[in-house]
mmCIF file of all heavy atoms in Angstrom:
data_model
loop_
_atom_site.group_PDB
_atom_site.id
_atom_site.type_symbol
_atom_site.label_atom_id
_atom_site.label_comp_id
_atom_site.label_asym_id
_atom_site.label_seq_id
_atom_site.Cartn_x
_atom_site.Cartn_y
_atom_site.Cartn_z
ATOM 1 N N GLU A 15 -6.069 -80.326 4.575
ATOM 2 C CA GLU A 15 -5.851 -79.310 5.619
ATOM 3 C C GLU A 15 -6.119 -77.925 5.043
ATOM 4 O O GLU A 15 -5.828 -77.663 3.863
ATOM 5 C CB GLU A 15 -4.405 -79.392 6.140
ATOM 6 C CG GLU A 15 -4.124 -78.509 7.340
ATOM 7 C CD GLU A 15 -2.703 -78.685 7.861
ATOM 8 O OE1 GLU A 15 -1.922 -79.424 7.238
ATOM 9 O OE2 GLU A 15 -2.376 -78.052 8.893
ATOM 10 N N ILE A 17 -5.244 -73.992 5.968
ATOM 11 C CA ILE A 17 -4.396 -73.185 6.848
ATOM 12 C C ILE A 17 -4.683 -71.711 6.597
ATOM 13 O O ILE A 17 -4.594 -71.239 5.453
ATOM 14 C CB ILE A 17 -2.906 -73.472 6.569
ATOM 15 C CG1 ILE A 17 -2.612 -74.960 6.731
ATOM 16 C CG2 ILE A 17 -2.008 -72.635 7.480
ATOM 17 C CD1 ILE A 17 -1.262 -75.399 6.164
ATOM 18 N N THR A 25 -4.218 -71.450 2.719
ATOM 19 C CA THR A 25 -3.547 -72.510 1.973
ATOM 20 C C THR A 25 -4.366 -73.785 2.101
ATOM 21 O O THR A 25 -4.678 -74.212 3.223
ATOM 22 C CB THR A 25 -2.115 -72.747 2.505
ATOM 23 O OG1 THR A 25 -1.317 -71.584 2.230
ATOM 24 C CG2 THR A 25 -1.472 -73.951 1.833
ATOM 25 N N PRO A 43 8.690 -76.189 -9.543
ATOM 26 C CA PRO A 43 8.412 -74.906 -8.872
ATOM 27 C C PRO A 43 8.115 -73.829 -9.914
ATOM 28 O O PRO A 43 8.850 -73.669 -10.880
ATOM 29 C CB PRO A 43 9.718 -74.601 -8.132
ATOM 30 C CG PRO A 43 10.388 -75.918 -7.970
ATOM 31 C CD PRO A 43 10.017 -76.722 -9.181
ATOM 32 N N ASP A 64 6.494 -78.072 -1.973
ATOM 33 C CA ASP A 64 7.761 -78.554 -2.522
ATOM 34 C C ASP A 64 7.489 -79.665 -3.544
ATOM 35 O O ASP A 64 6.667 -80.554 -3.286
ATOM 36 C CB ASP A 64 8.642 -79.101 -1.388
ATOM 37 C CG ASP A 64 10.050 -79.420 -1.865
ATOM 38 O OD1 ASP A 64 10.240 -80.483 -2.508
ATOM 39 O OD2 ASP A 64 10.947 -78.598 -1.619
ATOM 40 N N THR A 82 -12.853 -68.272 -5.802
ATOM 41 C CA THR A 82 -11.858 -68.327 -4.724
ATOM 42 C C THR A 82 -12.509 -68.169 -3.348
ATOM 43 O O THR A 82 -12.055 -68.776 -2.375
ATOM 44 C CB THR A 82 -10.781 -67.249 -4.920
ATOM 45 O OG1 THR A 82 -11.403 -65.982 -5.107
ATOM 46 C CG2 THR A 82 -9.899 -67.567 -6.107
ATOM 47 N N ALA A 109 20.637 -72.270 -13.129
ATOM 48 C CA ALA A 109 21.056 -71.374 -12.045
ATOM 49 C C ALA A 109 21.993 -72.047 -11.049
ATOM 50 O O ALA A 109 22.484 -71.395 -10.124
ATOM 51 C CB ALA A 109 19.820 -70.839 -11.306
ATOM 52 N N THR A 118 9.900 -60.613 -4.080
ATOM 53 C CA THR A 118 8.451 -60.785 -4.185
ATOM 54 C C THR A 118 7.721 -59.629 -3.530
ATOM 55 O O THR A 118 8.270 -58.904 -2.706
ATOM 56 C CB THR A 118 8.013 -62.102 -3.515
ATOM 57 O OG1 THR A 118 8.372 -62.052 -2.130
ATOM 58 C CG2 THR A 118 8.690 -63.295 -4.155
ATOM 59 N N TYR A 140 23.546 -74.229 -4.822
ATOM 60 C CA TYR A 140 23.412 -72.812 -5.158
ATOM 61 C C TYR A 140 24.279 -71.957 -4.242
ATOM 62 O O TYR A 140 24.690 -72.379 -3.158
ATOM 63 C CB TYR A 140 21.930 -72.378 -5.055
ATOM 64 C CG TYR A 140 21.045 -73.203 -5.946
ATOM 65 C CD1 TYR A 140 20.350 -74.307 -5.442
ATOM 66 C CD2 TYR A 140 20.949 -72.939 -7.307
ATOM 67 C CE1 TYR A 140 19.577 -75.106 -6.271
ATOM 68 C CE2 TYR A 140 20.177 -73.727 -8.142
ATOM 69 C CZ TYR A 140 19.502 -74.809 -7.628
ATOM 70 O OH TYR A 140 18.751 -75.609 -8.447
ATOM 71 N N PRO A 142 24.811 -68.001 -2.290
ATOM 72 C CA PRO A 142 23.998 -67.333 -1.260
ATOM 73 C C PRO A 142 22.574 -67.053 -1.759
ATOM 74 O O PRO A 142 22.370 -66.724 -2.928
ATOM 75 C CB PRO A 142 24.758 -66.033 -1.016
ATOM 76 C CG PRO A 142 26.155 -66.317 -1.442
ATOM 77 C CD PRO A 142 26.048 -67.268 -2.593
ATOM 78 N N TYR A 157 2.968 -66.334 5.540
ATOM 79 C CA TYR A 157 4.129 -67.214 5.693
ATOM 80 C C TYR A 157 5.127 -66.646 6.697
ATOM 81 O O TYR A 157 6.340 -66.827 6.537
ATOM 82 C CB TYR A 157 4.861 -67.423 4.364
ATOM 83 C CG TYR A 157 4.062 -68.113 3.300
ATOM 84 C CD1 TYR A 157 4.011 -67.608 2.007
ATOM 85 C CD2 TYR A 157 3.365 -69.287 3.567
ATOM 86 C CE1 TYR A 157 3.291 -68.245 1.012
ATOM 87 C CE2 TYR A 157 2.638 -69.922 2.588
ATOM 88 C CZ TYR A 157 2.611 -69.400 1.309
ATOM 89 O OH TYR A 157 1.902 -70.035 0.339
ATOM 90 N N ALA A 162 10.744 -66.817 8.936
ATOM 91 C CA ALA A 162 11.619 -66.986 10.096
ATOM 92 C C ALA A 162 12.482 -68.243 9.949
ATOM 93 O O ALA A 162 13.675 -68.241 10.301
ATOM 94 C CB ALA A 162 10.777 -67.061 11.369
ATOM 95 N N ARG A 186 11.952 -53.488 7.494
ATOM 96 C CA ARG A 186 12.267 -52.163 6.970
ATOM 97 C C ARG A 186 10.975 -51.450 6.582
ATOM 98 O O ARG A 186 9.924 -52.076 6.432
ATOM 99 C CB ARG A 186 13.177 -52.258 5.745
ATOM 100 C CG ARG A 186 14.625 -52.571 6.040
ATOM 101 C CD ARG A 186 14.833 -53.979 6.473
ATOM 102 N NE ARG A 186 16.246 -54.362 6.494
ATOM 103 C CZ ARG A 186 16.670 -55.527 6.974
ATOM 104 N NH1 ARG A 186 15.831 -56.421 7.478
ATOM 105 N NH2 ARG A 186 17.964 -55.804 6.962
ATOM 106 N N LEU A 237 4.291 -64.030 -14.358
ATOM 107 C CA LEU A 237 3.201 -63.101 -14.659
ATOM 108 C C LEU A 237 1.851 -63.745 -14.370
ATOM 109 O O LEU A 237 1.717 -64.970 -14.344
ATOM 110 C CB LEU A 237 3.258 -62.695 -16.133
ATOM 111 C CG LEU A 237 4.524 -61.955 -16.589
ATOM 112 C CD1 LEU A 237 4.451 -61.677 -18.089
ATOM 113 C CD2 LEU A 237 4.696 -60.648 -15.818
ATOM 114 N N LEU A 245 -4.205 -74.241 -21.794
ATOM 115 C CA LEU A 245 -3.554 -74.994 -22.871
ATOM 116 C C LEU A 245 -3.219 -74.126 -24.082
ATOM 117 O O LEU A 245 -2.821 -74.641 -25.128
ATOM 118 C CB LEU A 245 -4.466 -76.151 -23.308
ATOM 119 C CG LEU A 245 -4.724 -77.200 -22.219
ATOM 120 C CD1 LEU A 245 -5.893 -78.087 -22.609
ATOM 121 C CD2 LEU A 245 -3.476 -78.029 -21.986
ATOM 122 N N PHE A 265 8.754 -66.292 -17.163
ATOM 123 C CA PHE A 265 9.425 -65.831 -18.380
ATOM 124 C C PHE A 265 10.773 -65.218 -18.036
ATOM 125 O O PHE A 265 10.922 -64.576 -16.984
ATOM 126 C CB PHE A 265 8.608 -64.724 -19.065
ATOM 127 C CG PHE A 265 7.360 -65.183 -19.743
ATOM 128 C CD1 PHE A 265 6.136 -65.082 -19.094
ATOM 129 C CD2 PHE A 265 7.393 -65.708 -21.024
ATOM 130 C CE1 PHE A 265 4.964 -65.491 -19.719
ATOM 131 C CE2 PHE A 265 6.229 -66.121 -21.661
ATOM 132 C CZ PHE A 265 5.018 -66.011 -21.002
ATOM 133 N N ARG A 269 12.322 -61.539 -22.572
ATOM 134 C CA ARG A 269 11.268 -61.896 -23.526
ATOM 135 C C ARG A 269 10.028 -61.023 -23.385
ATOM 136 O O ARG A 269 9.241 -60.901 -24.326
ATOM 137 C CB ARG A 269 10.875 -63.365 -23.346
ATOM 138 C CG ARG A 269 11.544 -64.278 -24.361
ATOM 139 C CD ARG A 269 11.314 -65.734 -24.034
ATOM 140 N NE ARG A 269 9.939 -66.171 -24.213
ATOM 141 C CZ ARG A 269 9.520 -67.382 -23.862
ATOM 142 N NH1 ARG A 269 10.367 -68.236 -23.334
ATOM 143 N NH2 ARG A 269 8.276 -67.730 -24.053
#
Side-chain angles (χ1 to χ4, degrees):
E15 187 177 5
I17 303 166
T25 294
D64 189 282
T82 52
T118 61
Y140 303 96
Y157 297 132
R186 284 72 168 173
L237 298 178
L245 296 165
F265 287 97
R269 261 171 69 186

